[in-house]
Amino acid sequence: MWWWLFLVAAAWKIEAFSLDPSNRVFAAVDLYTVNPRFQSELVDKVSALAADWVDTDDCQTAAILASLDGARVFAYSQWATRKDDRAATLDEFFPPESHQLEITASRCREDKVVNVDVGDTLTHLAEFRMKPESQPKMLELTADALGTAMDTSPGLLSATFHRSLDGTRMFNYGQWESKDAFDALEQQPGFSKADPYWKGLANNEFFLYNVKHVIE
């Protein structure tokens, strides 16, 4: 079973790629849960799976991230065409929660584009669950919240909101200088657990990650 490690380490491994806010490509997320003892193994196997995706004409780039709590792995990928039937299930692990997305709002502090880099940059993935009729209002609120967060949180490096094409989810892919900077956002009006800007429209959960592999 060494061959899939070789594939990831060889032809497709790079250090970074950029998110495309123009929506000339489709974004996708595949969210896995795992026993922390097996997180590293899952990271390697999802990376090998993503290498297979990138070896097609449709998938352009993919990043594999591992949560700091050890219990989650997710793949973020960009596709030339919508790909609802991509193979994301691994026999040894629970099936992922998978969504096709488009970017709705994106800002970054220094660069003109949001780069996904391998390393210790703290990545925050927030998932908002809602009824499809609530998604249009969430689009407005998340665009406003993005501006507020970038203007008042110097430790926020970038934030990119996505909507799921089925109307039931929104995701925020955020990058932070530190955990302290991330925690400080929860003290601001509209971002506290007691009175968040999405109250009454969506349920939210988030986890913190590091990027382990980037594949192109």
Side-chain angles (χ1 to χ4, degrees), residues 77-191:
S77 52
Q78 296 185 126
W79 300 75
T81 58
R82 182 170 175 173
K83 202 71 172 178
D84 293 311
D85 60 345
R86 66 187 179 283
T89 300
L90 297 162
D91 291 341
E92 306 96 316
F93 297 95
F94 294 118
E97 176 187 340
S98 299
H99 297 281
Q100 289 279 334
L101 313 173
E102 67 177 14
I103 293 175
T104 60
S106 183
R107 280 186 61 181
C108 54
R109 192 156 301 282
E110 296 181 357
D111 300 322
K112 293 182 179 180
V113 295
V114 178
N115 290 317
V116 177
D117 302 296
V118 174
D120 296 330
T121 298
L122 188 67
T123 299
H124 155 234
L125 184 72
E127 179 179 4
F128 301 85
R129 298 170 180 251
M130 69 210 69
K131 294 179 179 179
E133 57 265 30
S134 296
Q135 195 185 68
K137 184 62 176 178
M138 281 294 294
L139 294 176
E140 297 177 19
L141 293 177
T142 52
D144 290 342
L146 173 60
T148 300
M150 290 298 296
D151 291 342
T152 60
S153 301
L156 177 57
L157 304 176
S158 73
T160 302
F161 280 96
H162 306 66
R163 74 171 191 94
S164 67
L165 301 187
D166 66 3
T168 66
R169 300 287 192 279
M170 290 195 69
F171 293 90
N172 178 24
Y173 187 109
Q175 297 171 315
W176 294 83
E177 282 185 347
S178 67
K179 178 67 162 53
D180 287 343
F182 172 78
D183 290 340
L185 181 65
E186 292 188 325
Q187 309 306 314
Q188 297 185 25
F191 295 92

